[in-house]
Amino acid sequence: MLTLGIDTATRVCSVAVCNNNKILGSLEVNVGLTHSEGLVPQLETLLKLARVEKKQLELIAVSRGPGSFTGLRIGMATAEAMAYALELPLAAVDTLEAIAYNLPVAGVRLVPVLDAQKGNLYVGSYRWEKDHLTEIEPVRIAAARDLAAQLQAGEEPAILMGECHRVPGTENCDQVTLAPESARLPRGSSVAILGASQYVPRGDIHAYFGMDPFYIRRSEAEKLWEKRHPEGQ
């Protein structure tokens, strides 16, 4: 299945086009541009370099979070607009699962983390079993200062992925190692491959539209609105 993958959950904007498990093209940009500025030109460049026309695409897969509130909205809105214009089905992929998919290593716990603000982290926990990535625990929010100790107390070695630099104390943990930097952050190719493998046709392709991002927590804007409008709660 020829799939376009989009990930804008972090400051990295990553897009890829894959044919099943084969990566035809991938672009990652991590230079501080806002995704609203760079995403569409990046998609156009990707398809041109991969020699894939939009009409050839069969599926669009997008990272749904957790991650940056603004980044997720931009990525999902762009994916929905393209899917609508091209009359293509749409698949949503969990961001932390897509990060863990970057590193197919058996016998360890893969722990992708992303910044959840105010000293907290979004934390996932996955394990490869043969050729299948399995979620060990549901995605949660944990205090960054406590995560290293929690992982050290685990029964199996752990590999930290994602925004590892936000986890203090890991340098003293013999149970915890850091993934190579090239595998730490989201990749559009992992989103595309996972999206294609998880996609189940439902007849009406538009049934996938209106997907909600996987935020876990409320945004600061939502909290402020509720504070100012208590009658609406």
Side-chain angles (χ1 to χ4, degrees):
M1 176 173 278
L2 196 60
T3 305
L4 179 67
I6 299 172
D7 196 304
T8 56
T10 68
R11 69 188 308 271
V12 177
C13 186
S14 181
V15 296
V17 60
C18 300
N19 190 3
N20 295 320
N21 292 335
K22 182 179 180 180
I23 302 173
L24 303 182
S26 179
L27 288 176
E28 283 81 36
V29 176
N30 186 11
V31 293
L33 294 175
T34 64
H35 299 323
S36 59
E37 295 174 326
L39 178 55
V40 173
Q42 196 171 334
L43 287 168
E44 297 287 350
T45 299
L46 168 70
L47 294 174
K48 181 178 180 180
L49 292 176
R51 298 182 180 180
V52 173
E53 296 184 15
K54 293 178 183 177
K55 63 182 180 182
Q56 295 177 289
L57 294 172
E58 300 174 85
L59 177 69
I60 295 178
V62 62
S63 174
R64 75 182 188 112
S68 160
F69 286 75
T70 301
L72 291 172
R73 285 193 291 266
I74 291 171
M76 296 190 77
T78 301
E80 285 194 346
M82 288 188 66
Y84 180 81
L86 299 171
E87 297 188 344
L88 291 174
L90 192 60
V93 175
D94 289 356
T95 303
L96 296 180
E97 182 181 7
I99 294 176
Y101 195 84
N102 295 345
L103 198 64
V105 178
V108 296
R109 176 184 293 236
L110 299 175
V111 184
V113 300
L114 292 177
D115 185 19
Q117 303 297 322
K118 298 183 178 180
N120 296 312
L121 296 168
Y122 299 117
V123 182
S125 186
Y126 304 87
R127 183 189 297 119
W128 281 94
E129 298 177 353
K130 295 184 178 179
D131 295 329
H132 182 70
L133 184 65
T134 301
E135 184 181 63
I136 302 174
E137 298 175 356
V139 174
R140 61 191 175 95
I141 294 178
R145 66 179 182 275
D146 299 332
L147 184 57
Q150 293 171 9
L151 296 176
Q152 178 69 6
E155 297 181 356
E156 60 185 335
I159 299 180
L160 273 173
M161 307 177 73
E163 296 174 325
C164 307
H165 60 284
R166 298 186 183 277
V167 186
T170 52
E171 64 277 2
N172 300 319
C173 298
D174 53 16
Q175 278 276 88
V176 183
T177 57
L178 302 183
E181 189 167 355
S182 59
R184 289 180 192 173
L185 292 178
R187 291 179 182 168
S189 55
S190 292
V191 172
I193 293 170
L194 273 175
S197 67
Q198 296 173 357
Y199 170 66
V200 178
R202 297 184 181 177
D204 179 10
I205 63 172
H206 296 104
Y208 291 89
F209 289 80
M211 296 182 300
D212 292 325
F214 182 34
Y215 288 144
I216 299 184
R217 66 177 180 86
R218 294 175 299 158
S219 70
E220 292 302 320
E222 290 173 320
K223 293 178 183 177
L224 181 60
W225 189 93
E226 290 181 359
K227 183 177 181 180
R228 292 179 176 176
H229 303 82
E231 70 281 358
Q233 298 185 41

